[in-house]
């Protein structure tokens, strides 16, 4: 278990808007884990024989030859990533505007694939999310942003697909958060 990190399923398979700390609100079928082990294969074989068998089985199926795995040393390790407090689905179809873009409150240590945007607070706002009530208010505020405002900051494709890239989302003005988030004052003259 020390080499497994919980990972959320793709947005189309995740109906929850909050991920509880203990994952109790996820269906068993929605519980996934990411394997990441930095140990050399010889150490894995000696210390973790079951994990070794799993890695060798992956190699027999060619998992080590995929593009990303070929770039990693060892191939069965991944980048270290911290869980974000809020995730956003960044693609959606316009015919179901209420589900086009969703903000998901993450109370767990789960990470996500690149089918989500990970929203981390800037340094001067980190203190705001340490307070659960404020974090929930931020999450509710984000989910109350009119979908047409969100879709205008992104782009649309044929068939009604809308997509927001991270830099586009960064430009989105959310005046509703002004009264929720208070930055840390770093000097006497900060406004």
């Amino acid at each position: 278990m020390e080499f497994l990190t919980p990972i959320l399923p793709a947005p189309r398979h995740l109906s929850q808007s909050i991920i509880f700390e203990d994952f109790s609100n996820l269906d068993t079928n929605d519980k996934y884990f990411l394997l990441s082990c930095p140990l050399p294969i010889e150490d894995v074989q000696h210390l973790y024989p079951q994990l070794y068998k799993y890695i060798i089985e992956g190699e027999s199926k060619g998992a080590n030859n995929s593009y990303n795995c070929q770039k990693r040393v060892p191939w069965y390790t991944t980048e270290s990533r911290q869980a974000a407090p809020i995730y956003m689905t960044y693609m959606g179809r316009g015919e179901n505007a209420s589900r086009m873009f969703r903000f998901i409150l993450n109370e767990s240590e789960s990470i996500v694939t690149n089918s989500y945007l990970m929203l981390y607070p800037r340094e001067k706002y980190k203190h705001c999310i340490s307070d659960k009530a404020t974090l929930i208010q931020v999450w509710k505020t984000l989910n109350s942003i009119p979908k047409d405002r969100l879709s205008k900051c992104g782009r649309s494709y044929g068939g009604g697909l809308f997509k927001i890239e991270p830099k586009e989302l960064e430009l989105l003005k959310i005046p509703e958060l002004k009264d929720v988030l208070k930055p840390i004052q770093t000097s006497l003259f900060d406004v």
Side-chain angles (χ1 to χ4, degrees), residues 38-188:
L39 300 176
I41 195 68
E42 299 80 20
D43 291 352
V44 174
Q45 183 178 16
H46 176 69
L47 298 170
Y48 304 97
Q50 289 300 108
L51 177 57
Y52 174 77
K53 287 179 187 175
Y54 184 75
I55 291 170
I56 296 304
E57 180 183 342
E59 287 179 356
S60 72
K61 294 179 179 179
N64 57 320
N65 295 322
S66 70
Y67 178 79
N68 286 333
C69 289
Q70 285 181 349
K71 308 288 184 215
R72 299 178 182 144
V73 178
W75 72 267
Y76 45 85
T77 193
T78 61
E79 65 181 301
S80 179
R81 185 183 297 174
Q82 294 295 316
I86 298 175
Y87 296 125
M88 179 192 174
T89 60
Y90 68 95
M91 284 194 288
R93 298 215 175 267
E95 65 266 7
N96 188 356
S98 66
R99 305 274 298 166
M100 189 164 44
F101 302 112
R102 294 184 296 145
F103 293 90
I104 299 161
L105 181 62
N106 183 32
E107 296 178 347
S108 73
E109 290 299 315
S110 61
I111 59 172
V112 292
T113 63
N114 61 0
S115 54
Y116 295 87
L117 296 181
M118 297 167 278
L119 306 181
Y120 299 97
R122 294 186 188 264
E123 191 63 39
K124 64 182 179 179
Y125 293 101
K126 279 187 178 177
H127 70 285
C128 295
I129 65 153
S130 63
D131 174 53
K132 188 172 181 176
T134 304
L135 177 59
I136 290 172
Q137 186 58 45
V138 168
W139 168 69
K140 286 180 177 179
T141 302
L142 292 173
N143 272 312
S144 71
I145 298 170
K147 302 305 177 190
D148 61 327
R149 189 185 334 160
L150 277 169
S151 62
K152 285 178 186 170
C153 82
R155 59 191 79 191
S156 62
Y157 295 91
L161 178 68
F162 289 90
K163 183 177 181 183
I164 298 175
E165 295 292 344
K167 292 290 183 192
E168 295 167 333
L169 184 61
E170 230 175 59
L171 298 174
L172 178 67
K173 303 288 184 215
I174 311 172
E176 299 91 339
L177 284 175
K178 186 178 119 190
D179 295 328
V180 177
L181 296 176
K182 303 289 185 197
I184 292 177
Q185 186 172 344
T186 56
S187 80
L188 183 60

